[in-house]
Amino acid sequence: MRPWPGTPYPLGATYDGVGTNFTLFSEVADYVELCLFDADGAETRVRLPEVDGFVHHGYILGIGPGQKYGYRVHGPHDPGRGLRCNPHKLLIDPYAKAITGEVEWHESLFGYPFGSPEERNDQDSAGHVPLSVVVNPFFDWANDRPPKTPYNETVIYEAHVKGLTMLHPEVPERLRGTYAGLAHPAVIEHLKSLGVTAIELMPVHQFISDHGLEQKGLRNYWGYNTIGFFAPHEGYAALPENAGQVQEFKGMVRALHEANIEVILDVVYNHTAEGNHLGPTLSMRGIDNQAYYRLVEDDPTFYMDYTGTGNSLNVRSPHTLQLIMDSLRYWVTEMRVDGFRFDLAATLAREFYDVDRLSTFFDLVQQDPVVSQVKLIAEPWDVGPGGYQVGNFPPLWTEWNGKYRDTVRDFWRGEPATLGEFASRITGSSDLYKDDGRRPYASINFVIAHDGFTLNDLVSYNDKHNEANGEDGRDGADDNRSWNCGVEGPTDDPEVNELRARQRRNMTATLLLSQGVPMLLHGDELARTQQGNNNAYCQDNELSWVDWSLLEKNRDLVDFTSALTAFRKQHPVLRRRRFFQGKPIRKGDELRDIAWFTPAGEEMQEQNWGDGFGKCIVVFLNGEGIPDLDQRGMRVLDDSFLLAFNAHHEDIEVTLPEPGYGPQWTVVVDTATGTVVAPELAEDPIPAGGTLTLASRSLVVLQRTGVE
């Protein structure tokens, strides 16, 4: 088999209908061998004949989709200088569009702390590592169009491909836990009924399970352990043969787009599955360790670790930045996804030591004509010094708002002195996003995410219960800001269960009535439980999978959630594109766009915000004061509303504002009863200045009525 020179770009394996061009970047390699595997696993080695700009390349006629391959990199091996080339190790192509097989843990995969000779002469690792696969790039997208839902109309549903579908009774058993299962009409119909406009998938890049977990009989379930930034995870494919996961993933995207649902990927560009200096050599470590990883400057044997996983990608290297940007563009252009949520995104901004919001990575994203046009969501923190960066990302970005999560949890569990912070969070967190020109939708609001308690567990447990993880309770957050409503865990006490149901509705309603972009977690609408486990990253079982038998048992919560998303969609004042100003929109208007009231019906004063005992507040939202224009350039108008929040453990008598704000008000949402109704179907309206008994720990929305 004699390779032709081929071309240095694009990187990876590219099939053109006749043969395949193979390319691999390595600045330190002396030469690179392409390893081709037949159906029986026999290996044929071919030296790539050309090198241009440190890209080794060659073209082989007759090689097509389904061909399994890997690389062996010949070059210097001196871990003390950060060099870890070793031709005994079979390596995964960093640009592989598909990867097959799992790691079979063997001592030959691991490094040695000080570069002992054994590492260079260990056993051949063929058969111990997954193989790269040449893919067929052709796919019938039919009439696929990206939904391009505006941020202020977006409702995100964070989900796990396997966890969402594994126990769904209407999904055929052979499709459960797969991309095809997620595309099943029963799943899509549930998403549509909830009013979901975007599904945010936990990692679907090819990942591996940790050796330590497998030794304990567990697996990496969440998938934050990437080994292939271009390859959809093979384990989520119903038909993975011959790189079928690529076609299946595209089919899933097409089906979701047909339902007008966007696909957002949770991506992990901050580290890889190769871990620290004792971790396995599977890909980039053996290709060009210095280029791809941040090494300790004083001793490059070791890796900088801002992620808590053993290594951090070297975003100071142009080749690593190219890898990340090429991957992002590939998923947008070839796989047609609609956006990304960046795990531990602060790590990507660490060009030197500190987090730099003007780092090269953000510059590249800003000017990229493809990536800059999709939804970009940052998890704005990492575990390094100064890593908590909520509110500090550039204007193009939105952020998971951890301050929103913490404040809403504190308010509803009755923590003192939260009124001012709560008011800021539910109105879009202008203190975080306004100064740099961003809008309220820069705040991705969430109370619950995959990392932590489920919604049901948040109101059922004071403490984490992670015994199943086998880490003696050392894993998972201790500061959960949860409240068990009086009993730890499941109970038959009807009063406790009723309070928990109300608290679930309070959290859900607050989320969907807040300015910004709401994000729900899969199964929370069913009151799913993880039995108090707040770190189920290794629980690939019924503990983490969505229990669809809860659908009918908790139908009231499902219907309440669906009604609220529909209510939000109907009323643009609840999803404004601009921040409230606290003043009239036009000259001559008497009413401001927003006003805050005490339970006595008096406007909040400075001293009221500091009341440590205050747990009740009323806010007026002026539907005539929306500064937005519709698609025709017409001013957006809406009804006006009062939102009344009571986190106190007793009922509170609330006096409605004077007639200038509205002649009468009708209750349309009440978390105490779990009702969402149209105003014409509601009970008798309450006149201005009248009183309303606001039940303990409840939220009420009143709509202005009686206006000509």
Short mmCIF file of all heavy atoms in Angstrom, two decimals, residues 1 306 389 392 449 482 677 680-681 693:
data_model
loop_
_atom_site.label_atom_id
_atom_site.label_comp_id
_atom_site.label_asym_id
_atom_site.label_seq_id
_atom_site.Cartn_x
_atom_site.Cartn_y
_atom_site.Cartn_z
N MET A 1 0.85 -1.19 0.00
CA MET A 1 0.00 0.00 0.00
C MET A 1 0.89 1.24 0.00
O MET A 1 1.64 1.49 0.95
CB MET A 1 -0.90 -0.01 1.24
CG MET A 1 -1.89 1.15 1.28
SD MET A 1 -2.92 1.08 2.75
CE MET A 1 -3.81 -0.46 2.48
N TYR A 306 -6.77 23.29 36.15
CA TYR A 306 -7.78 24.25 36.59
C TYR A 306 -9.18 23.64 36.60
O TYR A 306 -10.16 24.34 36.80
CB TYR A 306 -7.78 25.46 35.65
CG TYR A 306 -6.48 26.24 35.66
CD1 TYR A 306 -5.69 26.31 34.51
CD2 TYR A 306 -6.03 26.89 36.80
CE1 TYR A 306 -4.51 27.03 34.49
CE2 TYR A 306 -4.85 27.60 36.80
CZ TYR A 306 -4.08 27.66 35.64
OH TYR A 306 -2.90 28.37 35.64
N GLN A 389 -16.47 33.63 37.64
CA GLN A 389 -16.50 34.79 36.74
C GLN A 389 -17.91 35.10 36.25
O GLN A 389 -18.09 35.59 35.12
CB GLN A 389 -15.57 34.54 35.56
CG GLN A 389 -14.10 34.46 35.92
CD GLN A 389 -13.55 35.81 36.34
OE1 GLN A 389 -13.87 36.83 35.74
NE2 GLN A 389 -12.72 35.83 37.37
N ASN A 392 -18.79 38.26 33.94
CA ASN A 392 -17.56 38.84 33.39
C ASN A 392 -17.20 38.35 31.99
O ASN A 392 -16.10 38.61 31.52
CB ASN A 392 -16.38 38.55 34.33
CG ASN A 392 -16.48 39.34 35.62
OD1 ASN A 392 -17.07 40.42 35.65
ND2 ASN A 392 -15.93 38.79 36.69
N ALA A 449 -29.72 22.09 37.99
CA ALA A 449 -28.97 21.61 36.83
C ALA A 449 -28.55 20.17 37.13
O ALA A 449 -28.81 19.64 38.22
CB ALA A 449 -27.77 22.50 36.55
N SER A 482 -30.58 23.85 50.34
CA SER A 482 -31.81 23.08 50.24
C SER A 482 -32.54 23.10 51.58
O SER A 482 -31.98 23.50 52.61
CB SER A 482 -31.50 21.63 49.85
OG SER A 482 -30.68 21.01 50.84
N VAL A 677 -54.74 30.08 35.01
CA VAL A 677 -56.02 30.22 34.30
C VAL A 677 -56.03 31.51 33.49
O VAL A 677 -55.28 32.45 33.77
CB VAL A 677 -57.21 30.22 35.28
CG1 VAL A 677 -57.30 28.90 36.03
CG2 VAL A 677 -57.12 31.39 36.26
N GLU A 680 -60.50 35.55 32.07
CA GLU A 680 -61.96 35.45 31.93
C GLU A 680 -62.53 34.23 32.65
O GLU A 680 -63.75 34.15 32.89
CB GLU A 680 -62.36 35.42 30.46
CG GLU A 680 -61.82 34.25 29.67
CD GLU A 680 -60.46 34.54 29.04
OE1 GLU A 680 -59.80 35.50 29.49
OE2 GLU A 680 -60.07 33.80 28.11
N LEU A 681 -61.64 33.27 32.99
CA LEU A 681 -62.10 32.08 33.71
C LEU A 681 -61.79 32.15 35.20
O LEU A 681 -62.15 31.24 35.94
CB LEU A 681 -61.44 30.83 33.12
CG LEU A 681 -61.70 30.56 31.63
CD1 LEU A 681 -60.93 29.34 31.17
CD2 LEU A 681 -63.20 30.40 31.38
N THR A 693 -55.26 37.58 50.42
CA THR A 693 -54.54 36.73 51.36
C THR A 693 -53.57 35.86 50.59
O THR A 693 -53.97 34.98 49.82
CB THR A 693 -55.50 35.85 52.17
OG1 THR A 693 -56.39 36.67 52.91
CG2 THR A 693 -54.72 34.97 53.15
#
